[in-house]
Amino acid sequence: MTALAGIAIAPPALAAPVDTATDGFLTGLTEPHLAVSFAFVAGSAIFVLTTAVFYRMELRNWRAREAGMRAELAELSSAHDRAEILIGAESQIVVSWESRDAQPRIEGDPTTLGTGIGGRRILAFGSWLGAADASAIEAALQRLRERGEAFRMTLKTNAGRFIDAEGRALGGRAILRLRDVTGERAELMKIKREFARMHGELERLRTVLDSVDQPVWLRDGDGKLAWANAAYLAAVEAESVEDARGRKVELLDSAARAQAAKQREAGKRFAARTAAIVIGKRRMLDVTETPSPGGAAGVAIDVSEVEQLRTDLNREMEAHVRTLDQLPTAVAIFDASQHLTFHNTAYRQLWGLDQPFLDSSPADNEILDRLRGMRKLPEQADFRSWKADVLSAYRSIEPRETWWHLPDGRTLRVVANPSPNGGLTYLFDDVSDHIKLESRFNALLRVQGETLDTLAEGVAVFGSDGRLRLSNQAFARLWRLPEALTTDNPHLDAVIAHCQQNVPAEEPWAEIRAAVAGGADGRTGFALRMERKDGIVLDCAGQPLPDGAMLLTFIDVTASVNVERALTEKNDALERAAQLRDEFVHHVSYELRSPLTTIIGFTQLLSDETVGALNERQREYAGHIMRSSGALLAIINDILDLASIDTGSLELEPGEIDIRETIDAAVRGLEDRIAESDLHLDITVDDTIGSFTGDGKRIRQVLFNLISNAIGFSEAGGRIRVSAQRRDDEIVFSVADQGQGMPEHVAARVFERFESHTGGTTHRGVGLGLSIVRSFVELHGGHVKLESSPGTGTTVTCVFPADGPRRLAAE
């Protein structure tokens, strides 16, 4: 600074030479190097001068600032002293944190809070505060240091003192102030704390009341609505208590509110069941309103469903009463005091008690005493002990069943069933008929068992579960079953396993198993035959029973099977013999027919005298040969026809048959025999009888055989009647003679082949005529009837269907 000052003063000292040599100076400026030097000196002088001026100005400013800062420092020191005095004047400490990770700075004496803990241990809140308070202030401090959230709370130490804790962010620092609260302030803090607790409880209570479904309300001293829960507001359809008061809507009607106000003024509790409109619907409510200081508190419980259930229960009880009155079982219900509360009609009729007596709700012991006087109870030597035992059922927890044998011979099954409310329900069943039926049933079972044991057939009954229910001795004897197997109700498989030792074949047992073990649809009757290894043959039959069981019977048919086998063999032999006979007859008939045809032909030539004249005796002999050959040919034709019928190769040739012409044609072939036998023939045919469908040739053959048979059994001078008539849809031919007739046993066999009976006449035949008649008539679908008795002659009737043979009609 001194050098600069000297430089600043130097210019006035040089001024004189410059002034005295102005001209020389100006002249010197014309030289270049002198001009540059002068300019440099002048600029330096100006710079120094300017710098000095600014320095002086800044110096004054710094001195002013220093003075202000000294004054501010003095003021801060004074404030710090005052703050320490204030902090020290009150029992409190201040804890500050300059940053989140900085160490805390504690000001004040921690021991003044009465915790007995000093230094930084004051921040270990759990050591001198309760667990709840310690957790609360630690959480609040964390939020203050992390997010700058201020807080204020009241803490209670373990020693019972109250501490006011206040935290806030100030100047980028987190500051916690802990202050001891004593005296009136402590009392105030206690009151505030208690108020906060009660306020919280009140809010929780209101929350709980808002969550219930029952309307709850408070009234003030004037009876006006002071508060209501959400259910009440919903019931009256109000948005808030103020809305309900403003619109003057109430849950209860005026009569109920007036009665509640009257009870409230008298300091009494109001309780009633009343109807109310809840959310637009009529409901039944149980309302209770209790007086309280400054008003009343009320609650309403919706009992509409309870009322409906009670109505339904009463209706159900009435239905049960009507049902119990229809039961044959006597029912009596007694309450906990052992008095009659209900009885049905069967109970009154069982004991014959008066209705007024029962309606008076008599005690159980009174009823027992009256029944004993009427001699309707079981006879007891010690009635008092017996009655005490009966009444002890009231103290029982399990139903008790006893049997009463009454003097009139009836037997009662008595069930005493304790009720949950301490009463008792009696059930009296008259089981006299049941016992009689059971006795009869047991006797019937014994009779059935004895009957089955006397049977020769083996009988076994298997239940729907496949187990043996019943069997007789014959069953065990046939299959050699041990006694233990039949008495233990064995399963079907066990019985089959034992029986298969005698009948190893699986097929019959499989069928029996399917019938016994099958379902309801599979249980069907069956019959089969099985042969044991020892040669015994058994017929097994199964029949399902109504209860789902299966009855099996086993019959020893060995003897009948042997007889059947013998008969079968004999029948086969007879059939073979008949077949041989038919074959022989058929063969012989054909073998005889060829030469017989030749004989007839040559005899015809001789009779016609085409080869020469014959004398009278030769003509007679030729005639006998022709008649005998014709008869023999007829017999052979009959045999061939029967053989054809037996083989089924004979076929009818149906056509329209004129009935009158057919009879005449049959008669023309027998005119010579009729004349020789001196017989009279009467033909009775209606002119309008017309025709019918049939084989004309076979019909003529039928009539020929019948008339020929009648001629053979008629005596000279006798009469033969031939008639035909239409009856409904049938044509009836009848041939009757006046011969000797035949007994019944002969008439029953005349239609059999080769059955010939002379009956004392000269008629001889091979017994084929009537057999052929019956065969031809039956081929036409008709039938033959013969009526004859000794001395009255014989009548043969043939009935033909008018529409032709049935077989041909079907075709």
Side-chain angles (χ1 to χ4, degrees):
M1 278 177 67
T2 305
L4 290 175
I7 294 172
I9 298 173
L14 296 175
V18 173
D19 290 337
T20 59
T22 306
D23 293 336
F25 175 74
L26 294 173
T27 302
L29 291 174
T30 58
E31 297 181 5
H33 66 280
L34 292 176
V36 174
S37 298
F38 179 77
F40 175 75
V41 172
S44 298
I46 294 171
F47 173 75
V48 170
L49 181 60
T50 303
T51 302
V53 172
F54 277 105
Y55 171 75
R56 299 290 295 181
M57 292 174 62
E58 288 297 325
L59 181 59
R60 286 195 298 272
N61 290 338
W62 277 106
R63 287 178 178 174
R65 290 178 184 174
E66 183 181 1
M69 292 179 66
R70 290 180 181 276
E72 185 178 357
L73 179 61
E75 185 177 353
L76 290 174
S77 178
S78 177
H80 179 265
D81 293 338
R82 288 196 303 273
E84 288 185 348
I85 292 173
L86 291 175
I87 293 174
E90 194 171 1
S91 298
Q92 64 178 346
I93 63 172
V94 177
V95 184
S96 61
W97 290 267
E98 293 184 359
S99 62
R100 182 175 179 180
D101 300 328
Q103 294 296 325
R105 181 178 178 181
I106 300 176
E107 297 182 4
D109 186 3
T111 59
T112 59
L113 298 179
T115 62
I117 299 175
R120 292 187 178 181
R121 290 186 59 195
I122 196 67
L123 298 180
F125 300 106
S127 61
W128 55 278
L129 292 176
D133 287 347
S135 299
I137 192 170
E138 287 176 354
L141 274 177
Q142 184 176 359
R143 291 194 298 271
L144 171 64
R145 297 180 62 185
E146 292 179 355
R147 298 191 294 271
E149 294 183 8
F151 67 88
R152 187 165 187 176
M153 62 180 64
T154 301
L155 307 175
K156 187 175 182 181
T157 67
N158 294 332
R161 302 179 66 176
F162 289 92
I163 304 297
D164 182 23
E166 181 182 3
R168 64 178 60 187
L170 184 63
R173 298 183 179 183
I175 298 177
L176 170 66
R177 186 178 71 166
L178 301 174
R179 183 174 56 179
D180 184 19
V181 181
T182 56
E184 295 180 356
R185 195 167 183 179
E187 292 297 326
L188 179 61
M189 295 300 293
K190 290 181 181 180
I191 294 174
K192 288 176 65 179
R193 188 180 181 92
E194 185 67 19
F195 175 76
R197 184 184 65 79
M198 295 181 65
H199 184 268
E201 292 180 356
L202 179 61
E203 289 300 322
R204 287 192 295 272
L205 179 60
R206 287 183 176 179
T207 302
V208 172
L209 292 178
D210 276 335
S211 64
V212 299
D213 297 332
Q214 291 79 21
V216 180
W217 65 89
L218 296 176
R219 297 189 183 276
D220 57 15
D222 297 332
K224 296 181 180 180
L225 187 65
W227 177 85
N229 67 344
Y232 183 96
L233 298 177
V236 300
E237 301 183 71
E239 296 181 357
S240 62
V241 176
E242 291 75 13
D243 180 37
R245 284 201 301 261
R247 293 191 293 117
K248 296 182 180 180
V249 292
E250 292 283 352
L251 179 64
L252 306 180
D253 57 16
S254 57
R257 293 200 307 274
Q259 189 177 0
K262 184 177 180 180
Q263 293 290 101
R264 185 170 60 252
E265 291 175 359
K268 297 181 180 179
R269 178 173 172 268
F270 169 72
R273 176 166 293 180
T274 181
I277 303 300
V278 178
I279 316 180
K281 296 181 180 179
R282 187 175 185 84
R283 311 290 289 180
M284 292 298 297
L285 303 178
D286 272 349
V287 179
T288 303
E289 197 169 274
T290 304
S292 62
V299 61
I301 300 176
D302 190 348
V303 294
S304 302
E305 295 183 358
V306 175
E307 284 293 318
Q308 183 64 34
L309 290 175
R310 179 174 296 176
T311 303
D312 294 342
L313 180 60
N314 292 333
R315 188 181 301 111
E316 194 73 18
M317 288 290 292
E318 293 175 359
H320 287 171
V321 168
R322 291 194 298 269
T323 302
L324 291 176
D325 276 336
Q326 302 301 320
L327 292 179
T329 301
V331 180
I333 301 177
F334 293 83
D335 58 15
S337 61
Q338 300 185 11
H339 284 79
L340 182 67
T341 59
F342 171 79
H343 68 281
N344 64 349
T345 304
Y347 179 81
R348 184 179 67 254
Q349 295 174 350
L350 174 65
W351 300 116
L353 296 174
D354 297 334
Q355 186 65 43
F357 172 72
L358 296 175
D359 292 340
S360 64
S361 301
D364 196 358
N365 61 349
E366 295 179 16
I367 296 176
L368 293 176
D369 290 338
R370 174 167 291 199
L371 292 178
R372 186 198 181 196
M374 298 167 64
R375 295 195 73 253
K376 291 188 175 183
L377 291 180
E379 298 292 345
Q380 301 292 333
D382 189 354
F383 178 75
R384 180 175 299 177
S385 300
W386 180 85
K387 183 173 73 172
D389 181 67
V390 171
L391 297 179
S392 66
Y394 285 93
R395 300 184 298 274
S396 177
I397 60 175
E398 296 291 338
R400 181 183 296 181
E401 179 181 358
T402 55
W403 297 79
W404 291 4
H405 301 283
L406 305 184
D408 57 3
R410 291 180 299 171
T411 300
L412 300 181
R413 173 179 171 268
V414 183
V415 177
N417 187 21
S419 302
N421 58 0
L424 198 64
T425 300
Y426 284 107
L427 301 176
F428 299 91
D429 282 329
D430 188 350
V431 295
S432 304
D433 294 338
H434 175 76
I435 292 176
K436 292 178 181 178
L437 288 176
E438 185 176 1
S439 176
R440 293 177 182 176
F441 178 74
N442 293 333
L444 182 61
L445 284 181
R446 289 193 297 270
V447 172
Q448 182 184 27
E450 294 294 336
T451 303
L452 291 178
D453 284 338
T454 60
L455 294 177
E457 296 85 358
V459 178
V461 177
F462 289 88
S464 57
D465 57 354
R467 293 191 171 277
L468 182 65
R469 290 185 180 177
L470 179 66
S471 65
N472 63 350
Q473 295 178 359
F475 175 74
R477 185 173 59 255
L478 285 174
W479 294 109
R480 300 184 179 93
L481 299 176
E483 183 178 357
L485 186 62
T486 58
T487 57
D488 293 341
N489 299 110
H491 195 269
L492 174 65
D493 292 337
V495 177
I496 291 178
H498 182 84
C499 295
Q500 274 188 319
Q501 299 175 8
N502 295 311
V503 181
E506 182 63 29
E507 292 78 8
W509 301 117
E511 186 172 353
I512 293 174
R513 186 181 289 106
V516 174
D521 298 335
R523 292 180 180 271
T524 57
F526 68 93
L528 55 88
R529 176 167 291 180
M530 55 180 64
E531 185 172 355
R532 299 193 332 190
K533 292 189 297 185
D534 55 2
I536 295 178
V537 181
L538 300 176
D539 272 352
C540 174
Q543 181 64 36
L545 301 180
D547 61 349
M550 178 64 70
L551 172 66
L552 300 180
T553 59
F554 297 88
I555 303 175
D556 186 353
V557 294
T558 306
S560 61
V561 168
N562 293 334
V563 173
E564 181 181 354
R565 289 173 180 172
L567 293 176
T568 301
E569 293 174 357
K570 183 178 181 180
N571 183 66
D572 292 341
L574 292 175
E575 287 183 354
R576 287 194 298 271
Q579 183 179 1
L580 290 174
R581 183 194 65 185
D582 293 339
E583 291 177 355
F584 173 77
V585 169
H586 191 269
H587 180 73
V588 170
S589 298
Y590 272 103
E591 292 297 328
L592 291 176
R593 189 173 186 178
S594 296
L596 184 60
T597 304
T598 303
I599 293 173
I600 293 174
F602 283 111
T603 304
Q604 185 70 35
L605 290 174
L606 292 174
S607 298
D608 293 341
E609 298 182 2
T610 56
V611 296
L614 299 177
N615 56 33
E616 189 65 29
R617 186 175 294 275
Q618 289 174 339
R619 292 191 189 96
E620 183 179 356
Y621 289 161
H624 286 301
I625 293 172
M626 284 294 296
R627 287 193 295 272
S628 298
S629 298
L632 182 58
L633 181 60
I635 294 173
I636 293 172
N637 288 334
D638 289 343
I639 293 174
L640 291 176
D641 288 339
L642 289 175
S644 299
I645 292 173
D646 291 340
T647 59
S649 61
L650 180 64
E651 295 184 0
L652 298 179
E653 298 179 359
E656 288 296 321
I657 302 174
D658 187 284
I659 297 176
R660 179 68 190 193
E661 291 182 358
T662 301
I663 295 176
D664 292 341
V667 171
R668 281 195 296 269
L670 296 170
E671 289 178 349
D672 295 340
R673 291 185 59 191
I674 294 173
E676 291 178 359
S677 300
D678 192 17
L679 298 175
H680 300 280
L681 179 64
D682 296 334
I683 300 175
T684 305
V685 179
D686 192 356
D687 294 338
T688 61
I689 192 170
S691 61
F692 75 104
T693 302
D695 190 333
K697 177 181 176 182
R698 302 306 178 184
I699 299 298
R700 287 193 299 272
Q701 191 173 353
V702 167
L703 295 174
F704 181 88
N705 289 344
L706 291 178
I707 297 172
S708 176
N709 193 69
I711 294 172
F713 286 95
S714 298
E715 297 179 356
R719 188 175 295 276
I720 299 174
R721 295 187 300 273
V722 179
S723 64
Q725 58 179 338
R726 186 181 294 273
R727 187 170 59 195
D728 296 332
D729 294 334
E730 296 176 335
I731 303 298
V732 181
F733 293 93
S734 179
V735 177
D737 62 60
Q738 297 177 343
Q740 295 182 359
M742 61 187 74
E744 183 178 353
H745 69 279
V746 174
R749 301 180 58 187
V750 294
F751 288 103
E752 301 295 332
R753 297 179 185 180
F754 304 106
E755 288 290 335
S756 178
H757 300 275
T758 62
T761 65
T762 60
H763 176 74
R764 295 292 184 270
V766 295
L768 295 178
L770 292 181
S771 178
I772 290 178
V773 167
R774 185 177 65 177
S775 298
F776 285 162
V777 173
E778 290 178 353
L779 281 177
H780 281 78
H783 61 275
V784 181
K785 182 173 67 173
L786 184 144
E787 297 176 356
S788 180
S789 60
T792 61
T794 302
T795 301
V796 180
T797 303
C798 298
V799 181
F800 294 90
D803 57 350
R806 295 177 183 175
R807 185 183 64 172
L808 300 179
E811 293 176 355

